[in-house]
Amino acid sequence: MKTYPIPMVPGPVRVPAAIRNVYLESYGSGDLETDFIELYTRTQRRLKEIFTTRDDIVIMSGEGMLALWSALKSCLVPGDRVLAVATGVFGYGIGEMAQSLGADVKIVGFSYDETINDLARIEAAIAEFKPRMITAVHCETPSGTLNPLDGLGRLKQTYQVPLFYVDTVAGAGGVPVLADDWQIDLCLGGSQKCLSAPPDMSFLSVSPKAWEIIEAVGYVGYDALKPFHQAVENRYFPYTPSWQGVAALFVAAGLLLEEGLTNSFDRHARVAAHCRQRLAGMGIDLFPAADAVSSPTVTAAKIPNGFTWAQWDQRLRADGLVVAGSYGPLADKVFRLGHMGSQADMALVDRALDVVAGAL
């Protein structure tokens, strides 16, 4: 199996030894052991700090998409109105996911090189459509953008929209997430981005209003949230929980909190600025447009003239660097460097950019 000494994909990121070592240990059955319940609740408290929330935290065994589907299936019934605010692949995709469940979806769409910049248009759509749920993506990794969410939170509160659903899988831990201040009811995260754990766990915050709706909907399935409402209290989970996965999240969140969230945010911002400055100095065009908000966790840039994506990817891999292409309208047009979590490291980024410079 081919490995690369300079990993720069925007998740899964390289896993630090302290987190890897968790998977070498043997544990009992999570739903039978008091030690697991204690670990689970301690991990919940750490994740609450990262989300800046007092709401409940649910930790699930499965990659970040599990949380995205779980929150939709557990809260929506056919005919429910969903307003999807979309600036990229995942924003539009979440609208399509809700539509596949029978929801009545209205999309307020922006270009892939934009971030949320027209609250008046969104407000008009909310006033006319009267949605049950608003959805948004915090960090659009395929575009390298970061959406401001405080304005959507104010609109949610003003118009008394029952649910605000936010995907911050690629943001949490690398940029501030203020779930309570932003009025978020379902704040969704994953283990493999800024927390630097393997891609096997997802987690989300659930507000009291969301729990009320989840109980009323009563969705039943592997990805259902309802069984987690009383799981800790009843010491009974809907499936055998991953003790190693929860332990890895506990260690990963602990490393972030030990560093200090403000210090982590500063580290991500410094590395991102340095990455973009060097790329621009090489004559590589950055993506998105200058007036959009670029994410501190991932940089997107246009594939250099004279290369297809396949040729560019092959050239970089030949010197040990692995980056990512993109999806949807950006496929074969941009490449991305994931400086998130353990990869928000100046020395690693410089090694990557040295390879990029050599490839040119």
Side-chain angles (χ1 to χ4, degrees):
M1 182 174 61
K2 179 73 171 176
T3 60
Y4 296 91
I6 313 173
M8 288 300 295
V9 297
V13 303
R14 65 177 184 179
V15 181
I19 299 172
R20 293 199 307 270
N21 290 341
V22 168
Y23 290 86
L24 303 179
E25 301 294 333
S26 297
Y27 302 93
S29 178
D31 52 357
L32 298 175
E33 302 286 344
T34 300
D35 285 352
F36 176 77
I37 299 295
E38 292 175 354
L39 173 66
Y40 188 93
T41 55
R42 291 172 67 196
T43 306
Q44 286 177 310
R45 289 195 292 271
R46 289 184 172 183
L47 295 173
K48 283 186 179 188
E49 288 191 56
I50 292 170
F51 275 169
T52 323
T53 185
R54 296 180 298 276
D55 290 342
D56 291 342
I57 296 286
V58 171
I59 304 170
M60 311 174 80
S61 301
E63 193 271 338
M65 282 299 296
L66 174 64
L68 273 66
W69 277 111
S70 176
L72 292 176
K73 289 182 179 180
S74 297
C75 293
L76 297 176
V77 297
D80 278 348
R81 293 184 176 184
V82 175
L83 185 80
V85 180
T87 63
V89 169
F90 287 107
Y92 285 96
I94 288 169
E96 293 169 359
M97 290 161 64
Q99 203 164 36
S100 75
L101 300 176
D104 181 5
V105 177
K106 181 180 183 65
I107 294 178
V108 180
F110 296 82
S111 298
Y112 281 53
D113 62 350
E114 293 181 297
T115 44
I116 295 170
N117 57 19
D118 189 352
L119 287 176
R121 182 156 65 96
I122 298 170
E123 181 173 9
I126 293 172
E128 177 188 4
F129 191 57
K130 298 178 174 58
R132 182 176 179 82
M133 175 187 284
I134 298 170
T135 69
V137 174
H138 193 198
C139 174
E140 275 282 4
T141 46
S143 309
T145 56
L146 187 76
N147 279 310
L149 298 176
D150 54 335
L152 289 184
R154 290 194 299 271
L155 291 176
K156 183 258 186 187
Q157 187 174 37
T158 298
Y159 288 90
Q160 296 297 294
V161 179
L163 294 172
F164 185 21
Y165 166 116
V166 170
D167 166 4
T168 187
V169 170
V175 297
V177 177
L178 306 177
D180 289 356
D181 288 354
W182 296 342
Q183 308 295 320
I184 299 173
D185 298 278
L186 298 154
C187 193
L188 319 172
S191 57
Q192 75 272 26
K193 305 283 188 177
C194 298
L195 273 77
S196 308
D200 59 354
M201 301 298 291
S202 57
F203 51 92
L204 65 157
S205 65
V206 184
S207 72
K209 181 61 177 178
W211 278 130
E212 178 186 321
I213 290 172
I214 289 164
E215 291 289 346
V217 169
Y219 168 68
V220 176
Y222 178 83
D223 52 358
L225 282 174
K226 183 178 177 179
F228 286 91
H229 196 182
Q230 306 295 332
V232 170
E233 180 181 339
N234 295 336
R235 297 175 180 268
Y236 187 80
F237 289 82
Y239 48 76
T240 301
S242 171
W243 197 317
Q244 285 90 345
V246 175
L249 274 181
F250 178 76
V251 173
L255 291 174
L256 270 177
L257 296 175
E258 182 180 341
E259 176 185 6
L261 289 176
T262 300
N263 292 332
S264 174
F265 304 152
D266 289 345
R267 171 168 57 89
H268 282 80
R270 286 194 309 272
V271 169
H274 178 72
C275 179
R276 290 172 186 135
Q277 183 179 32
R278 278 201 63 185
L279 287 172
M282 298 175 201
I284 292 178
D285 293 328
L286 299 175
F287 190 92
D291 57 348
V293 181
S294 294
S295 175
T297 63
V298 56
T299 288
K302 295 181 181 178
I303 295 169
N305 291 334
F307 291 93
T308 65
W309 158 242
Q311 291 168 339
W312 184 239
D313 183 41
Q314 185 178 18
R315 177 72 66 87
L316 299 182
R317 286 175 185 261
D319 287 324
L321 170 61
V322 58
V323 298
S326 196
Y327 307 99
L330 300 183
D332 301 321
K333 295 179 181 178
V334 306
F335 70 102
R336 299 173 296 142
L337 295 98
H339 37 71
M340 56 178 62
S342 62
Q343 293 173 186
D345 176 276
M346 198 71 77
L348 179 67
V349 170
D350 270 332
R351 288 180 65 199
L353 294 174
D354 288 346
V355 172
V356 172
L360 289 172

